[in-house]
Amino acid sequence: MADGPDKLQVVADFDRTLSKYTHRGQICATCHNVLEEGGILPDFYKEKALKLREKYFSIETDPEMTIEQKTPYMIEWWTKAHELLNTCHITKEAVQKMVASSTAKLRDGCDWLFDECHRASIPLLIFSAGVGDVIEEIIHQQSTLYDNMHIVSNYMDFDKEGKMVGFKNDIIHIFNKNENVIHQSDYFENLKDRVNIILIGDSLGDLHMADGAEHMENKLKIGFLNTKVDESLELYKRKFDIVIVQDESLDLINAVIRKVV
Ligand code: TMP
């Protein structure tokens, strides 16, 4: 708080962190769900995407396996999911329509957070293993994507006719969100004077999203615990500085930022 906005940067996960887990009690879509439930892609897409999740999600969350053991499976999941999406010849227009009709929702208070970070020139990094085009579209439709906001995610590549022809960058999966991807860029290096970081996430993997910020002095880790509260609360309380349980808003984060700006 004493250092003020000039020393601050914010790093946030997207799905179920900036976006809601539930809206008035109903579960909301993640950016992958937007594509599966959009009603535009061929039926086989949803079927195969769900089969992939069935197989690999249990590996992602297997408490018996180490990250090293899980990583090859995650690479396999993202590779297969991207190949599958690539067979659908999705267009930018289809992404806009699917987002518009989806249940994906930014948390209450996102507008304030985005407006205020922009007004106070606080950089906001959105780090997601989801699909960047969908994230951008959700923000465009429901709020404002400002130039102080930077999204690191999987971005689709489109041909001249606007049809998808692949993905632009190397896969960003759940366990490489932290190191490789951002280390290859000078993002944190350029922000080395911003030694105070507010880190927001909903999974324990998100705790590493700002590992590339080597000059950091203070990191306030705020975690959303959306599900399995009884089983995970103690662990989340040990790992995060603040744990927000089953809330649909960014009120607490905004209250912290209000004290800084
Ligand atoms: P993140 O929201 O923390 O960045 O993680 C992305 C989540 O997306 C992770 O739990 C796995 C999930 N996922 C899908 O639901 N469908 C997919 O096709 C892929 C590749 C990942």
Side-chain angles (χ1 to χ4, degrees):
M1 283 158 58
D3 279 351
D6 297 344
K7 296 275 182 203
L8 181 66
Q9 55 174 308
V10 180
V11 179
D13 168 57
F14 184 77
D15 282 313
R16 277 128 195 218
T17 294
L18 291 180
S19 79
K20 288 186 178 186
Y21 178 62
T22 57
H23 177 61
R24 297 184 191 142
Q26 299 294 316
I27 293 189
C28 294
T30 62
C31 48
H32 288 112
N33 299 150
V34 167
L35 302 173
E36 289 150 13
E37 291 159 12
I40 290 184
L41 298 182
D43 290 344
F44 73 81
Y45 174 74
K46 181 172 179 177
E47 227 170 83
K48 290 188 175 171
L50 294 187
K51 276 219 176 91
L52 287 175
R53 182 173 307 119
E54 212 173 281
K55 173 172 177 189
Y56 291 104
F57 187 69
S58 55
I59 300 176
E60 179 190 327
T61 52
D62 186 343
E64 304 292 316
M65 289 173 75
T66 64
I67 289 184
E68 287 70 29
Q69 288 168 332
K70 291 176 186 187
T71 297
Y73 292 102
M74 295 302 106
I75 294 171
E76 208 172 274
W77 184 6
W78 262 257
T79 305
K80 286 182 181 170
H82 286 186
E83 280 167 7
L84 175 62
L85 194 58
N86 211 10
T87 60
C88 299
H89 310 298
I90 187 171
T91 61
K92 284 185 181 185
E93 204 189 344
V95 174
Q96 287 164 3
K97 284 187 183 154
M98 287 191 280
V99 166
S101 67
S102 77
T103 57
K105 283 226 165 356
L106 292 177
R107 279 185 194 269
D108 302 327
C110 241
D111 274 339
W112 188 91
L113 177 73
F114 293 169
D115 290 350
E116 203 56 27
C117 285
H118 178 247
R119 192 193 59 75
S121 299
I122 298 168
L124 169 58
L125 174 67
I126 300 174
F127 214 157
S128 170
V131 181
D133 306 80
V134 177
I135 294 170
E136 277 196 14
E137 194 53 38
I138 293 171
I139 296 176
H140 274 307
Q141 290 188 17
Q142 300 182 17
S143 189
T144 313
L145 188 62
Y146 290 111
D147 54 11
N148 62 311
M149 291 159 67
H150 183 65
I151 302 173
V152 174
S153 188
N154 299 294
Y155 272 94
M156 295 184 238
D157 205 4
F158 296 95
D159 67 11
K160 283 196 200 93
E161 273 101 55
K163 280 194 182 147
M164 183 192 175
V165 289
F167 275 84
K168 282 183 180 159
N169 40 289
D170 292 343
I171 288 168
I172 298 175
H173 60 78
I174 189 109
F175 299 124
N176 75 351
K177 261 171 93 168
N178 49 338
E179 348 97 40
N180 327 18
V181 185
I182 207 75
H183 276 162
Q184 285 161 12
S185 92
D186 49 10
Y187 183 83
F188 284 123
E189 180 60 23
N190 290 338
L191 299 179
K192 63 174 190 283
D193 293 336
R194 293 184 177 268
V195 291
N196 300 322
I197 296 189
I198 295 178
L199 180 116
I200 321 166
D202 74 317
S203 77
L204 299 177
D206 293 336
L207 285 161
H208 299 286
M209 289 188 299
D211 284 1
E214 284 159 6
H215 304 274
M216 178 253 314
E217 286 173 13
N218 300 295
K219 180 159 62 179
L220 182 66
K221 298 172 292 226
I222 305 178
F224 285 100
L225 180 53
N226 297 311
T227 53
K228 299 190 180 159
V229 175
D230 290 343
E231 296 98 301
S232 309
L233 185 59
E234 282 314 310
L235 177 62
Y236 269 58
K237 277 163 70 176
R238 278 204 302 279
K239 299 282 184 182
F240 288 95
D241 301 308
I242 301 173
V243 181
I244 302 169
V245 177
Q246 292 173 321
D247 185 21
E248 296 182 357
S249 81
L250 289 177
D251 289 351
L252 185 135
I253 287 142
N254 290 348
V256 173
I257 289 181
R258 199 171 279 126
K259 293 277 184 193
V260 179
V261 295

